[in-house]
Amino acid sequence: EMTRAQELSAQVRPGVRALDRARVLLAAGLLAEAQEVAEQAERHFAAERSRVELADTLLVTAEIDLLAGDADAARSAARRAARTFAAAHHARGVLTARVMETRAQAQVRAGRRPPSPRRARADAELADALARTLLDNGMVEDARAVRLLQAQALLEVGDLAGAEQAAGRAAELGRATTRVGRSRSRAPRLPLIATELHTRVVNARVEFAQGNRSAGLLHIRRGLDELAAYQARFGSQDLQSASAVHGLELTRLGLRTALQTRSPAAILQWLERSRAASTRLAAVRPSADGVLAQELSQLRVATFRARQAQLAGEPDPDLENEVDQLRRRVRSRSWLVGGSGAVNRPLTLAAVQRRLATAGGHHGGPGGVSIVAPFRGAGRFHALVITARSARYLQLGPDFGLESTLNRIIGDLNILADHRVLAPLRRVARTSLESGLNRVAEYIAAPVEPLVDDGPVIVAAAGSAAIVPWALLPGLSGRAISVSPSVTAAVAGMGRTAEEFRHGVLAVAGPEVPHGIQEAQVVSEVYSSFPSDGPTELLVGEAATGRAVLDAIPHGGLVHIAAHGHHEPDNPLFSGVLLADGLLYGYDVAPNPALPSQVVLSSCDVGRTDDRPGGEPLGLVAALLRSGVSTVVAGTSRISDRVAAAVMTAYHQRLYKGESPAIALAGAIKTAAETEDDPAPFTCFGAGL
């Protein structure tokens, strides 16, 4: 609506439009985008000397800083806003700025070690006085937020009675504002999600201080359910992931409390609830949007032309600006769709173990299926290990720098994938790779290995842990492994029919891949003689365009793409695979009328993900899985073209014989290793067993 208003009257108060847009982006959790627009608003208001609106913008900036974890910057912006409001003689504005400063001060205090009871007591007294002043001025919702901050400060000094009283007053104010909304014959006011989640945090802490752990955990679970319901209102993966930032404090409290219980059942519930977009929200399938499809097509061509200009040593600023503008339009266009509001209930530990027991012989391999869920919190690594007969929580050890180790592993794999690299450097890379893999195995894999059964392993992980090349780790190599962010989703998909090829097969080869066309042809030939409900199609050379691929996707079938991949860390949904006319993006797949059940990306890097500030992972693989694709096989680093062709040939031959994807991939990697020396860092994501 804001975009349409701007098109109607582009010159009317651009600062006001920018400020309002920044507020909306902030509510959705899009912090970088909100900051960019807020800076535009600040420049406009400074030029106009509009003090009140400039101060309003500073408060938005303070909120952004607060959510981003920069409490000192937030406090500074709030104080500047208070001075600006005061200069404009805007009393209510000054009070609003003081509320923001109180929120920032609470975060500053929480980050100081050792804690200062004297500072907490002083902040509690200031909050009490501010709440009274706010009520005198009719600012009920602000007073409610400040009472919660008062309760939080009193808990820090051990004044449980005072904290209970402050939390009770906050609850009364919440009920009062709801009654006001109803008395005016309108729908009840939609509370700010941040205030609602903070209420859950404070109430949980009060219960914990009273020794009522079960009641405190109930507040945390309900708060995470409320956050999931908020996320489910968005029909965009981008917004679902970004809006998780509002639940950071609640999620961290939930982690600390679940770990204190040392109960696998309680920890599993926290794990499944803490990443709602990854684990609990329905697949995001917006209806086909002709405008979005057209803009994606234009972006594909413009990006391709800009890349060609760069490769020729003559970068074109106009083309690069066109790419930037198209990316902005595509992204904002994807935000238009509303969500279903549906939130799935996570499985209990007992239910997970029942599924593992009944899945027994369905996965096509020896031994039972085990679940390993590594995660990080409180400066340490932890893990849940679940089998049909047992469940254990392990405290693995200190954070050993997984990201830096992974970057080194990926760098070594990239070197080994390039046969132009001289032998001495390859030997160094191989030694370094072995050292990095051993380091990850020592901290994460080795402690859990004695607890898992002999059969396949489901790794329930997100972020950095999800892109570990698990199949290359000592102790796990040769074992069938399926990686999923959700225990519930992974277990629910076990034992299903893995013969997606019965519904049709699409084999695609992108440009500049030496063995790509041959690989796609072999894949096509594997299935061409099989009687199926759908056709087997082959797209190579100039025919392999983005539009052609989208039009040829077999619904419920299998898509194999041999192409160079591109991972975009700044906006992972713009990650994609390179086709004849440019990149096929994550944004392309969800609205497409046909959706495959399995996607095989014989590509570089596209298995990688990046975590949003709220902890939600996002990348091309995550985008495909959240769109409704059941299984994605992809590489998390560069892969030798020769190795990729060997692994993929064996993989599809095994799929054709009825093996599940994870079993088939493990067997294919083992077969390829008999003739190829280079590693094959492929991973099976989603429902692989």
Side-chain angles (χ1 to χ4, degrees):
E1 293 299 320
M2 289 177 171
T3 301
R4 291 162 82 181
Q6 183 171 352
E7 290 170 353
L8 289 172
S9 185
Q11 301 305 315
V12 176
R13 297 303 307 277
V16 172
R17 287 202 316 272
L19 174 57
D20 287 342
R21 185 181 288 271
R23 285 171 169 152
V24 173
L25 292 168
L26 175 60
L30 295 165
L31 304 187
E33 293 78 3
Q35 182 65 55
E36 181 182 354
V37 180
E39 289 172 357
Q40 294 174 12
E42 186 174 343
R43 288 194 296 270
H44 284 297
F45 293 139
E48 295 175 359
R49 298 186 180 181
S50 302
R51 286 177 172 173
V52 171
E53 288 155 329
L54 175 60
D56 280 334
T57 306
L58 290 171
L59 289 183
V60 171
T61 299
E63 181 83 39
I64 294 167
D65 290 333
L66 205 59
L67 285 175
D70 192 345
D72 287 318
R75 186 173 58 180
S76 176
R79 288 173 175 173
R80 186 181 164 202
R83 292 193 298 270
T84 307
F85 276 128
H89 306 290
H90 195 293
R92 287 174 67 91
V94 172
L95 291 176
T96 304
R98 288 182 60 195
V99 172
M100 178 59 69
E101 183 181 352
T102 304
R103 290 177 58 198
Q105 175 61 30
Q107 199 175 97
V108 169
R109 189 179 68 245
R112 285 182 176 163
R113 293 293 178 269
S116 171
R118 180 181 298 179
R119 180 71 262 176
R121 173 66 71 180
D123 287 348
E125 292 172 357
L126 289 172
D128 180 51
L130 177 58
R132 296 175 189 276
T133 304
L134 289 166
L135 285 174
D136 289 342
N137 284 269
M139 301 170 70
V140 178
E141 182 65 18
D142 287 312
R144 178 189 175 200
V146 171
R147 285 294 184 199
L148 291 170
L149 294 168
Q150 179 191 3
Q152 188 171 310
L154 291 171
L155 283 171
E156 292 175 26
V157 298
D159 185 353
L160 179 56
E164 276 190 276
Q165 185 180 45
R169 288 176 174 174
E172 290 174 7
L173 293 173
R175 288 191 291 270
T177 53
T178 301
R179 284 196 298 272
V180 168
R182 286 174 179 158
S183 67
R184 294 176 181 172
S185 302
R186 295 186 306 194
R189 172 191 56 85
L190 178 66
L192 292 172
I193 188 67
T195 304
E196 293 304 297
L197 297 181
H198 193 205
T199 300
R200 292 295 184 188
V201 168
V202 171
N203 289 340
R205 285 179 171 162
V206 169
E207 296 290 356
F208 294 149
Q210 293 174 330
N212 302 326
R213 178 177 284 175
S214 296
L217 282 170
L218 182 61
H219 277 295
I220 292 172
R221 286 198 298 271
R222 286 179 174 172
L224 291 174
D225 287 345
E226 289 164 0
L227 175 61
Y230 181 75
Q231 292 174 276
R233 295 170 59 193
F234 297 112
S236 157
Q237 295 182 23
D238 203 6
L239 298 185
Q240 286 183 349
S241 299
S243 56
V245 72
H246 295 297
L248 271 178
E249 188 178 8
L250 186 69
T251 300
R252 288 168 181 160
L253 177 61
L255 169 62
R256 289 197 300 271
T257 308
L259 293 180
Q260 288 169 4
T261 70
R262 301 189 68 84
S263 162
I267 294 170
L268 176 64
Q269 286 299 298
W270 174 82
L271 277 175
E272 292 294 275
R273 280 182 160 87
S274 63
R275 294 189 296 265
S278 305
T279 64
R280 304 179 60 197
L281 305 190
V284 177
R285 291 299 313 280
S287 58
D289 181 340
V291 175
L292 177 61
Q294 182 180 4
E295 290 181 340
L296 280 166
S297 180
Q298 292 172 356
L299 174 61
R300 191 175 297 115
V301 173
T303 303
F304 181 78
R305 290 171 56 204
R307 178 173 178 268
Q308 294 298 107
Q310 285 184 334
L311 291 175
E314 298 178 358
D316 187 332
D318 291 336
L319 264 178
E320 291 172 1
N321 182 62
E322 181 183 354
V323 168
D324 184 60
Q325 293 301 317
L326 282 167
R327 283 167 66 111
R328 290 171 184 270
R329 293 215 301 268
V330 165
R331 195 174 183 205
S332 60
R333 184 82 190 175
S334 73
W335 298 336
L336 298 179
V337 183
S340 66
V343 180
N344 300 320
R345 183 179 294 276
L347 291 178
T348 64
L349 176 61
V352 169
Q353 291 184 297
R354 285 196 298 270
R355 299 281 181 96
L356 291 177
T358 56
H362 295 319
H363 55 76
V369 179
S370 305
I371 296 173
V372 175
F375 59 97
R376 185 164 35 191
R380 301 184 68 88
F381 275 96
H382 313 261
L384 278 182
V385 182
I386 306 171
T387 69
R389 298 177 304 280
S390 66
R392 291 280 301 277
Y393 158 64
L394 300 178
Q395 197 174 80
L396 298 180
D399 190 337
F400 61 95
L402 177 60
E403 281 77 13
S404 60
T405 304
L406 264 179
N407 286 337
R408 195 179 85 194
I409 288 172
I410 291 170
D412 294 333
L413 288 168
N414 290 345
I415 290 173
L416 293 172
D418 189 345
H419 288 278
R420 296 170 299 178
V421 175
L422 297 177
L425 182 55
R426 291 176 63 81
R427 284 195 295 270
V428 172
R430 195 173 292 279
T431 301
S432 175
L433 173 63
E434 183 178 350
S435 172
L437 293 173
N438 285 336
R439 183 173 176 80
V440 177
E442 174 189 355
Y443 280 92
I444 300 179
V448 305
E449 188 183 353
L451 302 178
V452 301
D453 286 344
D454 294 334
V457 174
I458 293 172
V459 177
S464 299
I467 63 170
V468 167
W470 293 97
L472 300 182
L473 295 183
L476 292 178
S477 58
R479 193 189 287 260
I481 296 173
S482 181
V483 177
S484 171
S486 165
V487 173
T488 298
V491 171
M494 283 197 312
R496 67 181 180 83
T497 300
E499 296 179 344
E500 291 93 349
F501 55 85
R502 291 181 179 274
H503 301 287
V505 174
L506 173 62
V508 181
E512 304 171 17
V513 179
H515 299 276
I517 293 178
Q518 179 184 354
E519 180 182 324
Q521 288 173 337
V522 169
V523 171
S524 177
E525 290 169 3
V526 167
Y527 301 105
S528 59
S529 62
F530 191 89
S532 65
D533 299 332
T536 297
E537 292 194 45
L538 177 67
L539 290 175
V540 299
E542 294 300 317
T545 64
R547 185 70 265 160
V549 169
L550 292 171
D551 289 341
I553 287 177
H555 189 65
L558 186 153
V559 173
H560 177 104
I561 302 178
H564 289 302
H566 172 72
H567 176 67
E568 180 65 60
D570 293 334
N571 190 346
L573 283 171
F574 281 117
S575 300
V577 290
L578 183 62
L579 299 178
D581 61 342
L583 288 171
L584 182 71
Y585 299 104
Y587 279 113
D588 283 298
V589 178
N592 198 59
L595 189 74
S597 182
Q598 181 179 166
V599 175
V600 180
L601 298 170
S602 181
S603 314
C604 307
D605 293 334
V606 288
R608 301 182 66 178
T609 63
D610 290 276
D611 276 3
R612 284 292 180 79
E616 291 283 7
L618 197 61
L620 181 58
V621 168
L624 291 171
L625 293 175
R626 289 187 202 169
S627 297
V629 176
S630 297
T631 309
V632 180
V633 173
T636 54
S637 69
R638 293 179 186 170
I639 304 168
S640 160
D641 295 319
R642 196 169 61 222
V643 168
V647 171
M648 289 295 101
T649 298
Y651 174 71
H652 286 285
Q653 289 171 344
R654 287 174 173 270
L655 275 186
Y656 181 80
K657 294 175 182 177
E659 290 184 351
S660 63
I663 297 286
L665 183 61
I669 291 173
K670 183 178 180 180
T671 299
E674 296 173 359
T675 58
E676 302 291 340
D677 293 331
D678 298 333
F682 282 105
T683 299
C684 180
F685 296 94
L689 294 169

